[in-house]
Structure formats: structure tokens, C-alpha cells
Amino acid sequence: MGQCLRYQMHWEDLEEYQALTFLTRNEILCIHNTFLKLCPAGKYYKEATLTMDQVSSLPALRVNPFRDRICKVFSHDDVFSFEDVLGMASVFSEQACPSLKIEYAFRIYDFNENGFIDEEDLQRIVLRLLNSDDVSEDMLMDLAHHVLSESDLDNDNMLSFSEFEHAMFKSPDFMNSFRIHFWGC
Amino acid sequence: MLSDDWVNEIVVEVENVPSGAESRPSSNQIFPERTRVKPGLGRRSPTERVESQVFRRGSDTKHHQLLQLSTALKESMSQTHHSPECPGIDTPCTSHETAQGQKLIASLIPMTSRDRIKAIRNQPRTMEEKRKLRKVVDKEKSKQGPRALEVACCARCLHTFSLVYQRSKNSVSELLNTTSLWQKTLKVIGGKFGTSVLSYFSFLRWLLKFNIFSFIVNFSFLVIPQLMVAQKNTLQFTGLEFFTGAGYFRDTVMYYGFYTNSTIRHGSSRLAYNMQLAYLFTIGACLVTCFFSLLFSMAKYFRNNFINPHIYSRGIAKLIFCWDFTVENLSEIRLENTKLTFHQQLTRLSAHVEPWLVSTGMAIACCVAVYYLAEYNSEFLKTHQNPGAVLLLPFLVSCINLAVPRLYSMLRLVERYELPRHEVYILLIRNIFLKISIIGILCYYWLNIVALSGEECWETLIGQEIYRLLLMDFVFSLADSFLGEFLRRIIGKRFITSLGLQEFDIARNVLELIYAQTLVWIGMFFCPLLPFIQMITLFTMFYVKNISLIVNFQPPSKAWRASQMITVFILLLFFPSFTGVLCTLAITIWRLKPSADCGPFRGLPSFIYSVYRWIDTLSGRPGYQWVVWIYHNLIGSVHFFFILTLIVLIITYLYWQITEGRKIMIRLLHEQIINEGKDKMFLIEKLIKLQDMEKRANPSTLILERREVEQQVPLHLGEQAAAPDLRFRRSFQEDNQKV
């Protein structure tokens, strides 16, 4: 795994990234460095891509039970460009606005990508959180029903985006915990 | 904790049009795309995801929530049904050719550039799309440019000036962020141990800020003037002073007794510095600042965490969707929602009576012990001249503070609580009761016995006592971290491996911080340098606890609502602790007689007498009549406070009624949502039935219609990029990416 061509980021690019994302200068430069170390040799950083596996194995994401969903949501055509990585770090940064976090959280939790978090999604979320396979079926269903009874407002057995958003706005812990600190910056 | 610096607000409706549906209900025909309806549709509601991004125009409000969502249920009724494929979020609807893209651009153009940047940043789109959006908006803006240039050039100057200002503000805030104390360490702790443990360290940092502020104020207004007229210290310095606070330190700026009661004059100028007033007002200013800071923090956390009628639902949703918790014991969660009969509740409650009696009894016993020891201590000290003997009382108090909370934790093993949250709260209540009673007993002893005992310079004595208490507490905390936790880790790893590593007991540690801070606030009057000592203590404790955490502890396994607990901690800091301090100081200042030989208030009948005298002197001077008027009619007058209280009560009552009304409103709106959902289901079923009927009636013409539809659809959908099915969507995505 060689290194990308070591081009310094242009000042205008840095300014643009600062304007378009929630990251600070230092964070962008940190991510730039790490990206350069990981991407294939001989390519300009703006054209290089990382595979989903490479991004999943980063220390920040390695322990996250939802890393495959995160990679799926933020990548395009199953690869990560530098800007995809920046976009991901921006959503998970501290300064990101709550609406953005909720939007992407919804996409991450929507396993079957039908635009709603339904019972199947909820059960898969719980299984991921528990990280074990010997969970009884009825406990999963019970939990899914509990979540839906709390948050499902129009009684259609699914959480639409508005319902999810409503539930998350009620819990301030969500904003604080939906953060990933990338690359030790 | 929500990022909330929105100033401008425009309501923009950006519709994510699901594939196959037309956003404008202009033609109310039902398109023949009903044939694409999938059979399992009864379960799914074709709710369109309509996002409206709300940006508020109004310069007064700075804190505002971002989004308001509304679902355009009614629009979907008059349209065809879409395939349940939710459109890819990054798709077509966002290109600048689409209608909603146009709407977004139109809303972005009139904004100031700062708000435009913020609005674009908040869009959930890829960087490429945001960049395009920015270019398009800039292009549109420059098209309108020629008109805008007619604006006076000073407006442009202002604009560039504000840009420069913004940039400098950004760089300054970045600089502040990097130099903010312990920023990086806190992030590491938060990442490794979760936000609950992080809340302890944030709380510590917040208390440190209080102390730094108090120290700076005290130092500038009390210590420095005093040092200018300081008398020589004739006592000897031995090393023991650091522990006892007596001896050499007695005649330094550390204690009340050293301060002069004169009016310090600088040379022959007319500048006079009245030490008495300075003393009172400085301490008062510190406390008032702490009061307002506490009040505002408490209000902010309260607003986010408690005052929301539905918040009382404990919420499994938060556990599932938040990343702070590793959900290990699911059965705990299920139990939250079971309801009990009255009899069951009663039996459950009665099982708890015994442990409560035991714990309260222990607390009272400790208080009595402390009181008698304090009394005995003074006689003991008269007979034994050993200077180290004064440490006996602080030693005992620290031992009580060390041992009894752990006994309380062990009680927890005996009594069973269903919810771990209740356990935590009960433990918290017992510990706070213990600590506050001990402080209360000590204050009673100091103010009633020591102050009236006729000793020379009793204020300094109290100051020394508090100093010793604080120091002993600090030493015990250090010993606990270095020895206790270390030993526990060795035991957990080598000897009884089933115990494992321990978890950070947040409640106990936070209560120790609150206890120490209460002592500092009380002692600030008698020992103005106490915030400085507390500063050093907190600084050291941060690093010690941090290292101990990393070495000896494991991350917490139980769910712990960090933000709710922070609210409870601040509430505890405010309510028993700070108000107790205010009461104590009020009693001191109004009721007690200062000692006759030392301190700024020597010889006066009471501390507050200095203020009375000052007002009297002011009333003699012509230029200061307004101060006298304020004092007599606003501060000293009962009527004023009576009317003020009445007004506050009326306002509180009105707000309470408004809150009740809003709760009812929320309930009604919830019912309305449910009803609309039912309507939707009903109409969908009807739609399916109609389609089935048509299908059965005209099977042959269907194929022709289909082809017509496929030609019609692109025409109708024209500018909209909505793709009726995957095939269209994919091709459009390719087009989009080429752009």
C-alpha cells in the first residue's frame, strides 16, 4: 500500500471544504494525511478512491457495529473518494447540525432501504447492538413493538423520517452520542 | 448541546418526490401507473418525504431548532401510487433543473452569504452537489448583479467588512477551541468511556472555571490592595502549615484576620479604597456571578431534558438509536412498561423502608458524632499543644465521607430495585443527604459555638477549619485514586477474576466535587484565597482521575442517561449546596458580631453595619442621593419585594397554564396524525380495489395503455426528474453524474 502523490492541499480547496463541511481546518488536514497514507500509490488525492473495507477497518469505525451501513450510506458505487470521506467525517463531527445527523442516522438505520424503519430494520438494529446470535425471536419482536409504540405516531408499524426525527429530538443524548472521532485529530 | 445559531428563516419546501408520483396535483386523473402497484402495499403508506427546511428570518432569536417537517399526505391522495422504492437520496430531485431545486436556489439567493453557506452546509448532499449548488446560486446572484451594483458602495464596503469580520471570528474561535482546556483529553475520554464518564470530567472543568473566576476577582480586589499595606509577618514558618493552615499562614492574606479595616489611600491622591466595602462587595460579586451562571446552566439543561411533556416516556427508542449504550440486559428494558396494582406497589414500597431507616440512621449517627467531636475537639486542643492535633476532626469527617457512601452502595446489594435508574437516584439522594447534613452540622457548630465563644479572631479559626477539611478531602481522594482503585484492580485481575475491572462510579465522584465546592463557597468569606487552593486541587484531580480511569477502569456497561444526570448534578449543586451557602453567609453577615481585634470589620456590631454606615455617609454627600434612594426604596423596602414577588407568581402561573394548554394540543395533534394515517390506509385500499376491478374489466386495453403511459410519463414529468422506475432512475443518475 503505497502513498498517494504528496500534493499539498491548495488553500482554495481547504477554504472550500471548510465552507462546505462542518470540519475545522485541522481536522480536514488530519483526514487528508490519513487518506494519503491509505490510498493507492501514484494517484492524485482527488481522484483516488478507497474501498469500503479500507474505510471499515479504520480505528474509528472498526468497533462500530454499524460500520457496514455507514460505509454503504456514505460511499458512491461502493468506493470512497476523498470528498466522501470528508462528508462522512463532517456529519459525525461535533459541530454538525442536528438535522443533518438525524437525516443520516435514518439512512444508516434503514437496512432494507425502503425509506422507512420498519420492524425488520429494528430487529436487525437490536441484533447488531447485542452482538450475539442467541436472542429469542419473541424478545426481538417485543422490543420492536415497544419502540414502535413509543415513536410511531400514525400507527403504520413503521417509522417514517418525521417520526424518527421527532423521537430523536426528544432525546438530547442522541446528538451527543452520534459522533465518531476520526483519526485522532 | 444542539447547535443552534440560526438567524434567518425562510420556509422552503423541498419535496423528495418518490418515483412515479407527480408532485403537482394539477391533473387529478389517476395515472395508469397503478399497474405497477406491488401487491404487498397494504402495509406500506406512501408517505412522501417532504422536507421543509426552516430558516428563520428574525434577528432576535439566536437559539432555534432547525427543522419542521410536514408530510404532504393530502397531495399524495390525488396522485398515483408510487413504487415503494424510496428514491435514492442523492438523486435527481436535487439537480438544478428540477422544480424543487429551483425552489431551493430561489430561497438561497436572497440570503446573506454567511447564511447561504450555512444553509448549503446543512443540506444532506454530497460535496459535489453542494459545490454545484453553490456555483449555480453564485451565477444566479451575479446575473442579478447589475441591479445590485446600483446599491450604494458603502453597502458593499459593509459587506466586505462583515466578510473579513466573519473570517477573523472563525479563526479566533478555532484558536480558542484549540487552546480550550483539556479539549483533546476530554474527547479521548468520551470516545473510550462514553458520554456518562465524560460528564464527570466536563463538570469538573466547569467547576474549575468558577474557581478561576473567583480567584481572579478576589486576587485583584482584595489581595493586591491588602498587599500594599501589609504588615510584617512575625511568625515562624514550619512545614506543617500546609496541612494545618495555622501558624505562619495566620497572618497572611490567606485569612480574614489579616485584612485591614482602614481605607487605603494611594499616596496623597484622593483615591480611597474602602477595604470593608471591597471585602463585602467582592465576595458578593463572586457569589452573584456563580448564582447566575448556575441558574442559566440549569435552565438550559432543564429545557433540553425535562420540560417537554413527552419526555417522561423513558424511551427505549433512545437506547436503540443512541450509540452510547451497549444493550446487555434487555429484560430490564421490558419491565419499564409494566404497570402494577396498588397493593403490589405498597408491598414493594414497604420492602424499602428498612434500608431507608438504616441509611438515615447512619447519617444522623455520623452527624452527631461529628458534632460531639467538634465540641470535644476544642477542649482537647486546649490541653494538648501538638499543632497536628487540629487535624483530628477533618480526618474523621473525611473517613466518614469515604466509608459511609460505600456502605450505602453495599446496601444496594441487599435491597432490590427493578430499574437501575431508581437505584442510582436513591443512592444519590442518600449520599447528598449525608454530605449536606455533615456540612450543616459543621456550619451550625461554627456559627453558633465558635463565633460566640469569644475567641480572638474566630473568623480566621473557621477559615482554617475549612482549609483543613478541604485539604484532608483532597489527600483522601488522592489516596483513594492511587491506592484504593489500584488495589481494586489488582484484586479484580489476579485474585478474584470474576469481579473484573471496576466501573467509574460517577454519582459518588460528582458528589465529592459538589461537597468540596460547597466548602469553598462557604469558606470564601473567611479565607479569600480558598478558590486558588480549590483550583490547584481540581487541576490535580483531573489528571489523577484521568490516569486512574485509563489504568484501573473499564467502560460502563449500564445505560446511563448522561444529559439527564448532568441536569440532576447541576440541580444538586444549585439547590441544597448553593442555597445552603447563601443561607450560611446571610446568617453570618447579618447576625454575627465580628471579632474585635482582627479583620476588616473589627469593632462593628455586625458585618452589614459597614454598608449601613456607608449609606449614611453617602446621604451626606449631594451627588450620591440616587444610591441612597435605591437603597432605601428598592433594597430596603418590603413593599417593593412584595410587589415583585406577586408579579413573578402571576407570570409563573400564566406560563404553567400555557404549558398545560400545549400538552393538550400535543395530544390532539397526535390523534390527528393517527386519524390521517387511517384515512390514508382506507384510501389506499380503495385504490387497490379499484385497480383490481379495472384490471379484471379490461385486460386487453391494459397493454396499450401501458405503452401510452410510458410515453406520456416523460412528457408529464418533464422537468421533474422523478423516475417512474428503477430503469429510469438509474439512467438519470448516470446523467446526473456526468454533469
Side-chain angles (χ1 to χ4, degrees):
Chain A
M1 217 168 16
Q3 285 188 6
C4 256
L5 294 177
R6 281 223 157 249
Y7 281 117
Q8 282 287 44
M9 204 187 283
H10 289 301
W11 183 80
E12 303 98 40
D13 286 339
L14 191 59
E15 286 268 319
E16 189 187 30
Y17 290 143
Q18 263 189 291
L20 293 177
T21 65
F22 287 99
L23 300 168
T24 62
R25 270 180 55 107
N26 287 338
E27 289 171 355
I28 296 178
L29 290 171
C30 260
I31 295 174
H32 179 67
N33 276 339
T34 320
F35 188 84
L36 289 179
K37 283 192 203 117
L38 285 177
C39 73
K43 280 186 119 181
Y44 185 42
Y45 79 90
K46 282 201 181 176
E47 292 148 9
T49 55
L50 295 180
T51 63
M52 301 230 292
D53 290 327
Q54 279 177 303
V55 175
S56 290
S57 57
L58 285 167
L61 284 182
R62 211 183 305 154
V63 291
N64 195 310
F66 297 101
R67 57 187 175 278
D68 62 327
R69 285 296 306 158
I70 295 175
C71 290
K72 187 101 193 301
V73 165
F74 285 102
S75 61
H76 290 102
D77 296 331
D78 288 344
V79 287
F80 275 88
S81 70
F82 178 64
E83 295 184 348
D84 293 331
V85 170
L86 274 189
M88 178 168 64
S90 164
V91 169
F92 286 118
S93 72
E94 275 179 16
Q95 300 93 327
C97 66
S99 59
L100 202 62
K101 285 191 197 267
I102 292 180
E103 164 80 46
Y104 278 98
F106 188 76
R107 295 186 204 178
I108 289 173
Y109 288 134
D110 185 13
F111 278 78
N112 47 18
E113 296 194 351
N114 60 349
F116 300 96
I117 297 181
D118 50 15
E119 287 187 47
E120 180 196 336
D121 292 329
L122 285 172
Q123 291 182 7
R124 281 161 86 166
I125 295 173
V126 173
L127 275 176
R128 291 287 182 99
L129 285 176
L130 290 179
N131 213 10
S132 73
D133 287 327
D134 59 342
V135 186
S136 64
E137 188 62 37
D138 53 328
M139 184 177 271
L140 284 181
M141 290 209 27
D142 205 18
L143 271 176
H145 280 145
H146 266 144
V147 175
L148 286 174
S149 66
E150 273 177 14
S151 315
D152 186 18
L153 295 178
D154 57 359
N155 280 357
D156 59 354
N157 265 353
M158 293 185 286
L159 290 183
S160 71
F161 180 69
S162 348
E163 290 159 350
F164 179 75
E165 196 202 20
H166 185 63
M168 290 304 107
F169 267 136
K170 285 195 292 189
S171 90
D173 287 326
F174 173 77
M175 305 305 167
N176 296 339
S177 67
F178 201 73
R179 285 182 200 165
I180 299 180
H181 206 205
F182 281 97
W183 292 287
C185 298
Chain B
M1 308 272 187
L2 299 173
S3 67
D4 39 16
D5 43 356
W6 287 88
V7 178
N8 288 330
E9 172 186 293
I10 305 171
V11 176
V12 172
E13 292 206 353
V14 178
E15 287 181 346
N16 253 344
V17 180
S19 45
E22 197 177 84
S23 65
R24 303 199 188 271
S26 49
S27 53
N28 272 336
Q29 322 162 18
I30 299 187
F31 275 151
E33 282 167 40
R34 63 188 97 129
T35 53
R36 296 208 191 107
V37 168
K38 290 199 183 147
L41 214 41
R43 289 188 293 128
R44 300 189 195 271
S45 47
T47 322
E48 290 182 1
R49 287 186 42 192
V50 177
E51 304 169 273
S52 47
Q53 299 214 306
V54 180
F55 313 121
R56 194 158 30 155
R57 188 176 285 139
S59 48
D60 24 332
T61 45
K62 273 202 152 185
H63 306 282
H64 181 66
Q65 304 267 350
L66 254 206
L67 277 199
Q68 286 169 336
L69 280 214
S70 53
T71 37
L73 301 174
K74 296 177 188 100
E75 281 198 75
S76 66
M77 282 307 99
S78 56
Q79 300 162 22
T80 52
H81 200 63
H82 68 328
S83 76
E85 296 274 354
C86 181
I89 312 301
D90 299 330
T91 50
C93 332
T94 63
S95 115
H96 57 275
E97 293 128 13
T98 66
Q100 52 266 35
Q102 290 283 19
K103 265 197 231 168
L104 181 60
I105 294 170
S107 69
L108 284 175
I109 289 177
M111 287 191 211
T112 67
S113 66
R114 177 174 156 230
D115 297 325
R116 199 178 314 141
I117 292 178
K118 271 197 196 152
I120 293 181
R121 205 189 276 167
N122 283 352
Q123 294 285 320
R125 291 165 204 211
T126 62
M127 191 97 65
E128 191 58 43
E129 286 163 359
K130 286 195 247 188
R131 201 180 278 139
K132 258 185 277 168
L133 194 61
R134 207 158 78 135
K135 276 196 204 129
V136 165
V137 172
D138 285 338
K139 207 168 57 174
E140 294 285 325
K141 184 108 196 207
S142 60
K143 271 193 223 160
Q144 297 176 5
R147 253 177 286 135
L149 279 176
E150 284 162 17
V151 174
C153 72
C154 63
R156 256 183 301 151
C157 284
L158 270 176
H159 183 63
T160 38
F161 180 70
S162 74
L163 268 180
V164 166
Y165 171 70
Q166 276 310 312
R167 218 173 268 164
S168 55
K169 206 169 87 158
N170 278 342
S171 45
V172 164
S173 69
E174 268 203 40
L175 191 69
L176 275 180
N177 267 345
T178 48
T179 55
S180 164
L181 195 59
W182 299 320
Q183 182 91 331
K184 190 163 177 185
T185 321
L186 286 181
K187 280 194 186 175
V188 169
I189 294 176
K192 282 196 189 157
F193 291 92
T195 49
S196 50
V197 176
L198 181 65
S199 63
Y200 167 77
F201 287 92
S202 313
F203 191 68
L204 202 156
R205 189 172 73 158
W206 189 58
L207 284 180
L208 186 64
K209 286 185 195 156
F210 272 153
N211 286 305
I212 292 178
F213 170 76
S214 305
F215 166 63
I216 292 175
V217 168
N218 280 355
F219 193 75
S220 357
F221 290 105
L222 293 182
V223 176
I224 291 184
Q226 178 60 39
L227 284 177
M228 293 198 320
V229 291
Q231 292 157 359
K232 205 159 160 353
N233 195 340
T234 53
L235 296 169
Q236 267 186 333
F237 181 79
T238 65
L240 201 57
E241 268 84 12
F242 282 117
F243 288 104
T244 60
Y248 180 76
F249 282 163
R250 189 164 57 92
D251 281 344
T252 58
V253 281
M254 209 157 117
Y255 294 113
Y256 167 97
F258 185 65
Y259 289 81
T260 171
N261 70 334
S262 57
T263 310
I264 304 171
R265 283 185 196 281
H266 182 64
S268 57
S269 65
R270 294 195 51 204
L271 290 173
Y273 192 81
N274 189 335
M275 196 50 152
Q276 291 177 344
L277 292 176
Y279 202 90
L280 267 184
F281 289 157
T282 309
I283 306 283
C286 286
L287 288 175
V288 163
T289 318
C290 289
F291 173 76
F292 280 116
S293 170
L294 268 177
L295 196 64
F296 287 136
S297 306
M298 205 169 64
K300 183 179 82 166
Y301 281 104
F302 235 68
R303 191 181 60 211
N304 288 341
N305 296 331
F306 282 120
I307 313 282
N308 204 326
H310 282 250
I311 286 274
Y312 283 97
S313 68
R314 276 79 87 216
I316 301 184
K318 298 166 205 175
L319 287 183
I320 302 274
F321 293 125
C322 295
W323 284 352
D324 223 10
F325 313 121
T326 50
V327 184
E328 283 193 356
N329 197 350
L330 293 178
S331 47
E332 283 177 4
I333 308 170
R334 289 166 97 185
L335 278 172
E336 280 199 22
N337 286 333
T338 52
K339 293 210 186 327
L340 302 164
T341 65
F342 181 69
H343 182 69
Q344 282 177 316
Q345 279 178 336
L346 204 58
T347 40
R348 207 172 268 184
L349 277 177
S350 56
H352 294 314
V353 165
E354 271 191 22
W356 267 106
L357 280 178
V358 171
S359 61
T360 322
M362 271 205 285
I364 295 181
C366 293
C367 292
V368 167
V370 165
Y371 182 73
Y372 278 116
L373 183 71
E375 276 202 352
Y376 172 71
N377 205 21
S378 47
E379 297 162 19
F380 179 74
L381 285 174
K382 285 190 189 110
T383 51
H384 292 79
Q385 285 306 316
N386 184 2
V390 289
L391 290 175
L392 184 64
L393 182 62
F395 184 77
L396 182 77
V397 172
S398 292
C399 282
I400 291 179
N401 276 332
L402 187 73
V404 180
R406 283 169 174 77
L407 284 176
Y408 285 161
S409 303
M410 288 208 288
L411 267 184
R412 183 171 54 95
L413 297 172
V414 173
E415 53 174 345
R416 289 253 133 250
Y417 281 99
E418 295 72 33
L419 300 173
R421 213 185 58 237
H422 282 177
E423 258 181 55
V424 173
Y425 282 145
I426 300 283
L427 201 61
L428 211 63
I429 292 174
R430 287 183 184 153
N431 280 329
I432 201 87
F433 179 66
L434 173 75
K435 294 202 150 73
I436 295 293
S437 358
I438 289 187
I439 296 183
I441 283 286
L442 283 173
C443 285
Y444 173 76
Y445 174 69
W446 288 327
L447 296 182
N448 274 355
I449 313 276
V450 176
L452 303 176
S453 63
E455 299 228 13
E456 177 189 346
C457 227
W458 57 268
E459 296 95 343
T460 308
L461 286 178
I462 296 181
Q464 287 171 352
E465 278 285 339
I466 298 183
Y467 172 79
R468 287 192 283 263
L469 276 172
L470 267 179
L471 200 70
M472 194 57 77
D473 195 54
F474 177 54
V475 166
F476 266 66
S477 302
L478 280 181
D480 188 35
S481 288
F482 282 136
L483 295 176
E485 290 164 4
F486 183 67
L487 279 175
R488 170 72 180 75
R489 177 174 80 113
I490 303 275
I491 294 177
K493 274 187 132 169
R494 304 269 175 86
F495 300 119
I496 317 177
T497 42
S498 59
L499 276 181
L501 285 178
Q502 56 191 321
E503 292 178 13
F504 194 74
D505 191 345
I506 301 163
R508 208 184 62 225
N509 283 296
V510 168
L511 283 183
E512 280 175 23
L513 285 179
I514 294 179
Y515 169 78
Q517 189 61 38
T518 315
L519 282 179
V520 168
W521 276 332
I522 295 178
M524 209 159 59
F525 186 76
F526 305 105
C527 170
L529 279 187
L530 214 53
F532 176 65
I533 293 159
Q534 179 69 352
M535 241 169 73
I536 300 178
T537 311
L538 284 178
F539 211 77
T540 322
M541 285 312 296
F542 185 89
Y543 288 109
V544 167
K545 289 277 177 196
N546 188 19
I547 296 172
S548 174
L549 186 73
I550 296 176
V551 171
N552 296 331
F553 287 92
Q554 63 171 344
S557 61
K558 284 220 184 106
W560 176 288
R561 282 146 228 255
S563 45
Q564 251 187 17
M565 293 316 279
I566 294 181
T567 318
V568 169
F569 294 150
I570 298 183
L571 190 68
L572 282 178
L573 189 63
F574 185 74
F575 187 57
S577 166
F578 191 75
T579 45
V581 166
L582 288 180
C583 292
T584 313
L585 287 179
I587 293 176
T588 313
I589 295 180
W590 265 272
R591 293 285 174 97
L592 294 180
K593 189 171 175 330
S595 48
D597 302 320
C598 62
F601 299 97
R602 60 191 90 165
L604 297 177
S606 66
F607 291 91
I608 199 68
Y609 195 77
S610 57
V611 175
Y612 298 155
R613 244 192 359 200
W614 176 58
I615 296 287
D616 287 337
T617 49
L618 275 188
S619 27
R621 293 208 217 139
Y624 293 95
Q625 287 304 316
W626 57 276
V627 180
V628 182
W629 184 88
I630 289 180
Y631 178 80
H632 282 305
N633 294 330
L634 294 184
I635 302 181
S637 141
V638 174
H639 299 20
F640 175 70
F641 283 112
F642 183 69
I643 296 175
L644 197 64
T645 314
L646 210 57
I647 293 176
V648 167
L649 282 176
I650 291 176
I651 294 179
T652 312
Y653 177 71
L654 287 175
Y655 270 115
W656 177 39
Q657 290 304 308
I658 292 177
T659 313
E660 296 291 311
R662 291 210 174 126
K663 279 189 209 169
I664 297 177
M665 184 76 165
I666 289 179
R667 193 170 44 84
L668 290 176
L669 285 174
H670 190 181
E671 283 171 16
Q672 195 178 344
I673 293 179
I674 295 179
N675 286 336
E676 296 217 347
K678 287 189 194 146
D679 287 343
K680 215 180 355 176
M681 289 296 168
F682 171 71
L683 287 171
I684 290 172
E685 280 161 20
K686 259 208 136 161
L687 195 66
I688 297 177
K689 270 193 223 145
L690 282 174
Q691 290 170 355
D692 285 341
M693 276 166 43
E694 265 210 42
K695 212 196 293 185
R696 269 181 251 124
N698 308 319
S700 57
T701 54
L702 200 61
I703 306 167
L704 287 174
E705 263 187 349
R706 219 184 206 167
R707 252 181 255 138
E708 272 176 24
V709 160
E710 286 173 10
Q711 286 163 13
Q712 266 179 7
V713 161
L715 286 176
H716 276 282
L717 294 180
E719 322 81 60
Q720 274 115 353
D725 73 351
L726 268 181
R727 178 179 45 152
F728 278 27
R729 187 162 67 148
R730 233 180 281 127
S731 65
F732 196 93
Q733 252 181 337
E734 286 161 13
D735 286 341
N736 207 24
Q737 282 179 352
K738 278 184 216 151
V739 170

